mmCIF file with all atom_site columns, all heavy atoms in Angstrom:
data_model
loop_
_atom_site.group_PDB
_atom_site.id
_atom_site.type_symbol
_atom_site.label_atom_id
_atom_site.label_alt_id
_atom_site.label_comp_id
_atom_site.label_asym_id
_atom_site.label_entity_id
_atom_site.label_seq_id
_atom_site.pdbx_PDB_ins_code
_atom_site.Cartn_x
_atom_site.Cartn_y
_atom_site.Cartn_z
_atom_site.occupancy
_atom_site.B_iso_or_equiv
_atom_site.pdbx_formal_charge
_atom_site.auth_seq_id
_atom_site.auth_comp_id
_atom_site.auth_asym_id
_atom_site.auth_atom_id
_atom_site.pdbx_PDB_model_num
ATOM 1   N N   . ALA H 1 32 ? 6.534  -7.537  2.400   1.00 91.00 ? 989  ALA H N   1
ATOM 2   C CA  . ALA H 1 32 ? 7.040  -6.375  3.154   1.00 91.00 ? 989  ALA H CA  1
ATOM 3   C C   . ALA H 1 32 ? 6.488  -6.383  4.573   1.00 91.00 ? 989  ALA H C   1
ATOM 4   O O   . ALA H 1 32 ? 5.372  -6.815  4.821   1.00 91.00 ? 989  ALA H O   1
ATOM 5   C CB  . ALA H 1 32 ? 6.636  -5.089  2.455   1.00 91.00 ? 989  ALA H CB  1
ATOM 6   N N   . ASP H 1 33 ? 7.290  -5.908  5.498   1.00 83.00 ? 990  ASP H N   1
ATOM 7   C CA  . ASP H 1 33 ? 6.867  -5.762  6.899   1.00 83.00 ? 990  ASP H CA  1
ATOM 8   C C   . ASP H 1 33 ? 6.158  -4.418  7.011   1.00 83.00 ? 990  ASP H C   1
ATOM 9   O O   . ASP H 1 33 ? 6.785  -3.391  7.277   1.00 83.00 ? 990  ASP H O   1
ATOM 10  C CB  . ASP H 1 33 ? 8.074  -5.844  7.826   1.00 83.00 ? 990  ASP H CB  1
ATOM 11  C CG  . ASP H 1 33 ? 7.704  -5.679  9.290   1.00 83.00 ? 990  ASP H CG  1
ATOM 12  O OD1 . ASP H 1 33 ? 6.500  -5.560  9.606   1.00 83.00 ? 990  ASP H OD1 1
ATOM 13  O OD2 . ASP H 1 33 ? 8.615  -5.662  10.124  1.00 83.00 ? 990  ASP H OD2 1
ATOM 14  N N   . THR H 1 34 ? 4.870  -4.448  6.831   1.00 80.00 ? 991  THR H N   1
ATOM 15  C CA  . THR H 1 34 ? 4.073  -3.214  6.834   1.00 80.00 ? 991  THR H CA  1
ATOM 16  C C   . THR H 1 34 ? 4.054  -2.552  8.207   1.00 80.00 ? 991  THR H C   1
ATOM 17  O O   . THR H 1 34 ? 4.000  -1.331  8.318   1.00 80.00 ? 991  THR H O   1
ATOM 18  C CB  . THR H 1 34 ? 2.632  -3.505  6.364   1.00 80.00 ? 991  THR H CB  1
ATOM 19  O OG1 . THR H 1 34 ? 2.728  -4.233  5.133   1.00 80.00 ? 991  THR H OG1 1
ATOM 20  C CG2 . THR H 1 34 ? 1.842  -2.256  6.138   1.00 80.00 ? 991  THR H CG2 1
ATOM 21  N N   . ARG H 1 35 ? 4.127  -3.368  9.251   1.00 79.00 ? 992  ARG H N   1
ATOM 22  C CA  . ARG H 1 35 ? 4.101  -2.810  10.616  1.00 79.00 ? 992  ARG H CA  1
ATOM 23  C C   . ARG H 1 35 ? 5.257  -1.830  10.828  1.00 79.00 ? 992  ARG H C   1
ATOM 24  O O   . ARG H 1 35 ? 5.106  -0.797  11.449  1.00 79.00 ? 992  ARG H O   1
ATOM 25  C CB  . ARG H 1 35 ? 4.151  -3.938  11.648  1.00 79.00 ? 992  ARG H CB  1
ATOM 26  C CG  . ARG H 1 35 ? 3.968  -3.442  13.077  1.00 79.00 ? 992  ARG H CG  1
ATOM 27  C CD  . ARG H 1 35 ? 3.829  -4.587  14.051  1.00 79.00 ? 992  ARG H CD  1
ATOM 28  N NE  . ARG H 1 35 ? 2.628  -5.372  13.871  1.00 79.00 ? 992  ARG H NE  1
ATOM 29  C CZ  . ARG H 1 35 ? 1.423  -5.030  14.330  1.00 79.00 ? 992  ARG H CZ  1
ATOM 30  N NH1 . ARG H 1 35 ? 1.267  -3.913  14.996  1.00 79.00 ? 992  ARG H NH1 1
ATOM 31  N NH2 . ARG H 1 35 ? 0.393  -5.801  14.113  1.00 79.00 ? 992  ARG H NH2 1
ATOM 32  N N   . SER H 1 36 ? 6.424  -2.159  10.257  1.00 74.00 ? 993  SER H N   1
ATOM 33  C CA  . SER H 1 36 ? 7.582  -1.280  10.403  1.00 74.00 ? 993  SER H CA  1
ATOM 34  C C   . SER H 1 36 ? 7.656  -0.237  9.275   1.00 74.00 ? 993  SER H C   1
ATOM 35  O O   . SER H 1 36 ? 8.639  0.496   9.175   1.00 74.00 ? 993  SER H O   1
ATOM 36  C CB  . SER H 1 36 ? 8.866  -2.105  10.420  1.00 74.00 ? 993  SER H CB  1
ATOM 37  O OG  . SER H 1 36 ? 9.116  -2.661  9.136   1.00 74.00 ? 993  SER H OG  1
ATOM 38  N N   . LYS H 1 37 ? 6.616  -0.219  8.426   1.00 76.00 ? 994  LYS H N   1
ATOM 39  C CA  . LYS H 1 37 ? 6.533  0.710   7.295   1.00 76.00 ? 994  LYS H CA  1
ATOM 40  C C   . LYS H 1 37 ? 7.644  0.464   6.267   1.00 76.00 ? 994  LYS H C   1
ATOM 41  O O   . LYS H 1 37 ? 8.154  1.384   5.623   1.00 76.00 ? 994  LYS H O   1
ATOM 42  C CB  . LYS H 1 37 ? 6.525  2.163   7.760   1.00 76.00 ? 994  LYS H CB  1
ATOM 43  C CG  . LYS H 1 37 ? 5.340  2.480   8.666   1.00 76.00 ? 994  LYS H CG  1
ATOM 44  C CD  . LYS H 1 37 ? 5.316  3.923   9.061   1.00 76.00 ? 994  LYS H CD  1
ATOM 45  C CE  . LYS H 1 37 ? 4.121  4.189   9.961   1.00 76.00 ? 994  LYS H CE  1
ATOM 46  N NZ  . LYS H 1 37 ? 3.982  5.557   10.325  1.00 76.00 ? 994  LYS H NZ  1
ATOM 47  N N   . GLU H 1 38 ? 8.022  -0.820  6.107   1.00 76.00 ? 995  GLU H N   1
ATOM 48  C CA  . GLU H 1 38 ? 9.040  -1.199  5.137   1.00 76.00 ? 995  GLU H CA  1
ATOM 49  C C   . GLU H 1 38 ? 8.576  -0.821  3.734   1.00 76.00 ? 995  GLU H C   1
ATOM 50  O O   . GLU H 1 38 ? 7.423  -1.018  3.378   1.00 76.00 ? 995  GLU H O   1
ATOM 51  C CB  . GLU H 1 38 ? 9.271  -2.713  5.214   1.00 76.00 ? 995  GLU H CB  1
ATOM 52  C CG  . GLU H 1 38 ? 10.298 -3.222  4.217   1.00 76.00 ? 995  GLU H CG  1
ATOM 53  C CD  . GLU H 1 38 ? 10.495 -4.727  4.306   1.00 76.00 ? 995  GLU H CD  1
ATOM 54  O OE1 . GLU H 1 38 ? 9.830  -5.403  5.094   1.00 76.00 ? 995  GLU H OE1 1
ATOM 55  O OE2 . GLU H 1 38 ? 11.351 -5.227  3.558   1.00 76.00 ? 995  GLU H OE2 1
ATOM 56  N N   . ARG H 1 39 ? 9.448  -0.278  2.961   1.00 83.00 ? 996  ARG H N   1
ATOM 57  C CA  . ARG H 1 39 ? 9.135  0.128   1.596   1.00 83.00 ? 996  ARG H CA  1
ATOM 58  C C   . ARG H 1 39 ? 9.331  -1.057  0.649   1.00 83.00 ? 996  ARG H C   1
ATOM 59  O O   . ARG H 1 39 ? 9.979  -2.021  0.982   1.00 83.00 ? 996  ARG H O   1
ATOM 60  C CB  . ARG H 1 39 ? 10.044 1.282   1.177   1.00 83.00 ? 996  ARG H CB  1
ATOM 61  C CG  . ARG H 1 39 ? 9.771  2.545   1.976   1.00 83.00 ? 996  ARG H CG  1
ATOM 62  C CD  . ARG H 1 39 ? 10.307 3.755   1.218   1.00 83.00 ? 996  ARG H CD  1
ATOM 63  N NE  . ARG H 1 39 ? 9.941  4.986   1.833   1.00 83.00 ? 996  ARG H NE  1
ATOM 64  C CZ  . ARG H 1 39 ? 8.804  5.621   1.643   1.00 83.00 ? 996  ARG H CZ  1
ATOM 65  N NH1 . ARG H 1 39 ? 7.890  5.105   0.858   1.00 83.00 ? 996  ARG H NH1 1
ATOM 66  N NH2 . ARG H 1 39 ? 8.563  6.763   2.219   1.00 83.00 ? 996  ARG H NH2 1
ATOM 67  N N   . GLY H 1 40 ? 8.762  -0.930  -0.531  1.00 86.00 ? 997  GLY H N   1
ATOM 68  C CA  . GLY H 1 40 ? 8.956  -1.957  -1.545  1.00 86.00 ? 997  GLY H CA  1
ATOM 69  C C   . GLY H 1 40 ? 7.649  -2.648  -1.873  1.00 86.00 ? 997  GLY H C   1
ATOM 70  O O   . GLY H 1 40 ? 6.563  -2.202  -1.524  1.00 86.00 ? 997  GLY H O   1
ATOM 71  N N   . VAL H 1 41 ? 7.792  -3.775  -2.566  1.00 94.00 ? 998  VAL H N   1
ATOM 72  C CA  . VAL H 1 41 ? 6.628  -4.557  -2.980  1.00 94.00 ? 998  VAL H CA  1
ATOM 73  C C   . VAL H 1 41 ? 5.986  -5.213  -1.770  1.00 94.00 ? 998  VAL H C   1
ATOM 74  O O   . VAL H 1 41 ? 6.684  -5.817  -0.943  1.00 94.00 ? 998  VAL H O   1
ATOM 75  C CB  . VAL H 1 41 ? 7.065  -5.628  -4.009  1.00 94.00 ? 998  VAL H CB  1
ATOM 76  C CG1 . VAL H 1 41 ? 5.920  -6.523  -4.378  1.00 94.00 ? 998  VAL H CG1 1
ATOM 77  C CG2 . VAL H 1 41 ? 7.670  -4.974  -5.240  1.00 94.00 ? 998  VAL H CG2 1
ATOM 78  N N   . ASP H 1 42 ? 4.675  -5.095  -1.658  1.00 94.00 ? 999  ASP H N   1
ATOM 79  C CA  . ASP H 1 42 ? 3.985  -5.645  -0.498  1.00 94.00 ? 999  ASP H CA  1
ATOM 80  C C   . ASP H 1 42 ? 3.995  -7.174  -0.510  1.00 94.00 ? 999  ASP H C   1
ATOM 81  O O   . ASP H 1 42 ? 4.260  -7.803  0.507   1.00 94.00 ? 999  ASP H O   1
ATOM 82  C CB  . ASP H 1 42 ? 2.572  -5.100  -0.408  1.00 94.00 ? 999  ASP H CB  1
ATOM 83  C CG  . ASP H 1 42 ? 2.561  -3.621  -0.060  1.00 94.00 ? 999  ASP H CG  1
ATOM 84  O OD1 . ASP H 1 42 ? 3.274  -3.237  0.882   1.00 94.00 ? 999  ASP H OD1 1
ATOM 85  O OD2 . ASP H 1 42 ? 1.860  -2.855  -0.736  1.00 94.00 ? 999  ASP H OD2 1
ATOM 86  N N   . VAL H 1 43 ? 3.699  -7.771  -1.663  1.00 96.00 ? 1000 VAL H N   1
ATOM 87  C CA  . VAL H 1 43 ? 3.764  -9.236  -1.795  1.00 96.00 ? 1000 VAL H CA  1
ATOM 88  C C   . VAL H 1 43 ? 4.351  -9.548  -3.159  1.00 96.00 ? 1000 VAL H C   1
ATOM 89  O O   . VAL H 1 43 ? 3.906  -9.016  -4.171  1.00 96.00 ? 1000 VAL H O   1
ATOM 90  C CB  . VAL H 1 43 ? 2.365  -9.896  -1.682  1.00 96.00 ? 1000 VAL H CB  1
ATOM 91  C CG1 . VAL H 1 43 ? 2.471  -11.406 -1.824  1.00 96.00 ? 1000 VAL H CG1 1
ATOM 92  C CG2 . VAL H 1 43 ? 1.683  -9.527  -0.363  1.00 96.00 ? 1000 VAL H CG2 1
ATOM 93  N N   . HIS H 1 44 ? 5.367  -10.408 -3.152  1.00 97.00 ? 1001 HIS H N   1
ATOM 94  C CA  . HIS H 1 44 ? 5.953  -10.918 -4.385  1.00 97.00 ? 1001 HIS H CA  1
ATOM 95  C C   . HIS H 1 44 ? 5.770  -12.423 -4.360  1.00 97.00 ? 1001 HIS H C   1
ATOM 96  O O   . HIS H 1 44 ? 6.238  -13.083 -3.420  1.00 97.00 ? 1001 HIS H O   1
ATOM 97  C CB  . HIS H 1 44 ? 7.430  -10.534 -4.478  1.00 97.00 ? 1001 HIS H CB  1
ATOM 98  C CG  . HIS H 1 44 ? 8.133  -11.110 -5.665  1.00 97.00 ? 1001 HIS H CG  1
ATOM 99  N ND1 . HIS H 1 44 ? 9.495  -11.252 -5.705  1.00 97.00 ? 1001 HIS H ND1 1
ATOM 100 C CD2 . HIS H 1 44 ? 7.681  -11.581 -6.853  1.00 97.00 ? 1001 HIS H CD2 1
ATOM 101 C CE1 . HIS H 1 44 ? 9.841  -11.777 -6.856  1.00 97.00 ? 1001 HIS H CE1 1
ATOM 102 N NE2 . HIS H 1 44 ? 8.754  -11.994 -7.571  1.00 97.00 ? 1001 HIS H NE2 1
ATOM 103 N N   . ALA H 1 45 ? 5.085  -12.952 -5.358  1.00 97.00 ? 1002 ALA H N   1
ATOM 104 C CA  . ALA H 1 45 ? 4.790  -14.390 -5.394  1.00 97.00 ? 1002 ALA H CA  1
ATOM 105 C C   . ALA H 1 45 ? 5.150  -14.927 -6.774  1.00 97.00 ? 1002 ALA H C   1
ATOM 106 O O   . ALA H 1 45 ? 5.320  -14.173 -7.729  1.00 97.00 ? 1002 ALA H O   1
ATOM 107 C CB  . ALA H 1 45 ? 3.324  -14.628 -5.097  1.00 97.00 ? 1002 ALA H CB  1
ATOM 108 N N   . SER H 1 46 ? 5.256  -16.241 -6.843  1.00 97.00 ? 1003 SER H N   1
ATOM 109 C CA  . SER H 1 46 ? 5.492  -16.893 -8.129  1.00 97.00 ? 1003 SER H CA  1
ATOM 110 C C   . SER H 1 46 ? 4.731  -18.213 -8.181  1.00 97.00 ? 1003 SER H C   1
ATOM 111 O O   . SER H 1 46 ? 4.436  -18.828 -7.151  1.00 97.00 ? 1003 SER H O   1
ATOM 112 C CB  . SER H 1 46 ? 6.979  -17.120 -8.361  1.00 97.00 ? 1003 SER H CB  1
ATOM 113 O OG  . SER H 1 46 ? 7.498  -18.003 -7.395  1.00 97.00 ? 1003 SER H OG  1
ATOM 114 N N   . LYS H 1 47 ? 4.394  -18.593 -9.411  1.00 97.00 ? 1004 LYS H N   1
ATOM 115 C CA  . LYS H 1 47 ? 3.728  -19.864 -9.672  1.00 97.00 ? 1004 LYS H CA  1
ATOM 116 C C   . LYS H 1 47 ? 4.267  -20.331 -11.004 1.00 97.00 ? 1004 LYS H C   1
ATOM 117 O O   . LYS H 1 47 ? 3.956  -19.766 -12.045 1.00 97.00 ? 1004 LYS H O   1
ATOM 118 C CB  . LYS H 1 47 ? 2.211  -19.667 -9.715  1.00 97.00 ? 1004 LYS H CB  1
ATOM 119 C CG  . LYS H 1 47 ? 1.408  -20.932 -9.815  1.00 97.00 ? 1004 LYS H CG  1
ATOM 120 C CD  . LYS H 1 47 ? -0.078 -20.578 -9.740  1.00 97.00 ? 1004 LYS H CD  1
ATOM 121 C CE  . LYS H 1 47 ? -0.933 -21.797 -9.535  1.00 97.00 ? 1004 LYS H CE  1
ATOM 122 N NZ  . LYS H 1 47 ? -2.365 -21.429 -9.445  1.00 97.00 ? 1004 LYS H NZ  1
ATOM 123 N N   . GLY H 1 48 ? 5.128  -21.339 -10.946 1.00 96.00 ? 1005 GLY H N   1
ATOM 124 C CA  . GLY H 1 48 ? 5.833  -21.745 -12.156 1.00 96.00 ? 1005 GLY H CA  1
ATOM 125 C C   . GLY H 1 48 ? 6.707  -20.605 -12.640 1.00 96.00 ? 1005 GLY H C   1
ATOM 126 O O   . GLY H 1 48 ? 7.463  -20.018 -11.872 1.00 96.00 ? 1005 GLY H O   1
ATOM 127 N N   . ALA H 1 49 ? 6.546  -20.238 -13.903 1.00 96.00 ? 1006 ALA H N   1
ATOM 128 C CA  . ALA H 1 49 ? 7.341  -19.154 -14.482 1.00 96.00 ? 1006 ALA H CA  1
ATOM 129 C C   . ALA H 1 49 ? 6.679  -17.785 -14.304 1.00 96.00 ? 1006 ALA H C   1
ATOM 130 O O   . ALA H 1 49 ? 7.255  -16.766 -14.693 1.00 96.00 ? 1006 ALA H O   1
ATOM 131 C CB  . ALA H 1 49 ? 7.575  -19.414 -15.965 1.00 96.00 ? 1006 ALA H CB  1
#
Side-chain angles (χ1 to χ4, degrees):
D990 179 3
T991 309
R992 187 172 294 279
S993 70
K994 299 183 180 183
E995 179 181 2
R996 294 200 173 275
V998 176
D999 291 312
V1000 180
H1001 176 201
S1003 63
K1004 188 175 192 179

